[in-house]
């Protein structure tokens, strides 16, 4: 029977994405969603926020817990939105407003200067009876650039404007135009999870 590991998020898209990524490399683990209280994410880095969420889930469930904090970092904006990606347009999580604001901010920026990276930082917190939990943090980076307009209905967040590096010239697509399998094979979360896989083997 697969061992359960909690993904500390209330975002069903992230749960589905992680389930697919983990199933491809660690079928002995079952990723389950988190239904406990949502902690205040007051960190100023991806790592700080990922640890806040993973610690809260591990304490609430008593199970090994993963948390991802991720976003898009635009070079010409000095790495912003970065850790503020989910709230770039205001205090509410409005993916459409976030995307529109970012495109507006880059409206006068030419293609060579629209480079960006999707960044995913994953924290793993493993409760251990009688002593402090074991904690690990890893990072995955997916380089690319931002399109001038959204394209594709797949993915979520900034996917419809992110064009990953490494595609054939003239046939480039945004992640919003990729299949879920294509994205899961190359994404920043997949890259972070590959870095984490060896640590998970020690569970």
């Amino acid at each position: 029977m697969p061992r359960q590991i909690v993904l500390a998020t209330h975002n069903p898209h992230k749960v589905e994405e992680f389930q697919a990524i983990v199933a491809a490399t660690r079928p002995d683990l079952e990723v389950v969603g988190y239904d406990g209280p949502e902690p205040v994410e007051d960190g100023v880095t991806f790592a700080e926020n990922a640890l806040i969420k993973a610690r809260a889930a591990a304490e609430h469930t008593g199970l090994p817990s993963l948390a991802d904090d991720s976003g898009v970092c635009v070079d010409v904006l000095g790495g912003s939105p970065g850790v503020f990606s989910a709230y770039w347009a205001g205090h509410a999580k409005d993916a459409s407003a976030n995307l529109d604001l970012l495109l507006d901010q880059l409206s006068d920026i030419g293609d060579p200067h629209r480079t960006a990276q999707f960044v995913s930082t994953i924290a793993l917190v493993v409760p251990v009876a009688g002593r402090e939990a074991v904690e690990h943090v890893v990072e995955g980076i997916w380089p690319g650039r931002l399109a001038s307009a959204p394209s594709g209905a797949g993915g979520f967040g900034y996917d419809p404007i992110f064009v990953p590096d490494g595609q054939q010239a003239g046939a480039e697509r945004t992640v919003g135009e990729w299949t879920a399998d294509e994205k899961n094979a190359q994404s920043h979360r997949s890259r972070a999870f590959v870095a984490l896989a060896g640590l998970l083997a020690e569970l």
Side-chain angles (χ1 to χ4, degrees):
M1 183 176 180
R3 179 165 184 178
Q4 289 189 334
I5 187 164
V6 175
L7 181 63
T9 182
H10 292 148
N11 183 333
H13 297 294
K14 279 193 177 182
V15 174
E16 291 174 4
E17 198 169 293
F18 263 92
Q19 286 173 335
I21 291 169
V22 173
T25 55
R26 288 297 306 273
D28 55 314
L29 295 177
E30 178 189 6
V31 176
V32 296
Y34 173 62
D35 60 0
E38 200 164 338
V40 176
E41 295 176 44
D42 54 3
V44 295
T45 66
F46 292 126
E48 288 175 358
N49 281 336
L51 280 167
I52 287 169
K53 292 183 284 189
R55 287 167 180 161
E59 183 176 353
H60 182 76
T61 65
L63 294 172
S65 297
L66 292 173
D68 156 77
D69 202 59
S70 54
V72 63
C73 300
V74 183
D75 294 330
V76 75
L77 296 180
S80 294
V83 72
F84 305 109
S85 293
Y87 298 96
W88 193 234
H91 293 293
K93 285 186 177 181
D94 187 330
S96 179
N98 290 335
L99 191 151
D100 290 343
L101 176 59
L102 186 57
L103 285 179
D104 185 59
Q105 292 169 325
L106 297 174
S107 60
D108 295 329
I109 305 299
D111 187 65
H113 305 292
R114 298 175 72 93
T115 54
Q117 300 83 39
F118 266 147
V119 177
S120 169
T121 299
I122 299 177
L124 169 66
V125 176
V126 183
V128 180
R131 59 186 178 91
E132 290 187 1
V134 176
E135 298 182 348
H136 298 284
V137 177
V138 296
E139 183 179 70
I141 297 175
W142 198 12
R145 71 178 194 280
L146 300 185
S148 58
S151 183
F156 58 95
Y158 296 93
D159 286 356
I161 62 171
F162 187 75
V163 180
D165 286 349
Q167 300 185 72
Q168 183 178 352
E172 296 169 315
R173 297 173 293 154
T174 70
V175 179
E177 298 174 283
W178 288 29
T179 67
D181 287 344
E182 287 176 315
K183 178 183 177 181
N184 292 338
Q186 296 193 41
S187 76
H188 48 315
R189 294 189 185 92
S190 175
R191 294 172 189 219
F193 185 78
V194 167
L196 188 67
L199 299 173
L200 286 170
E202 300 173 10
L203 284 176

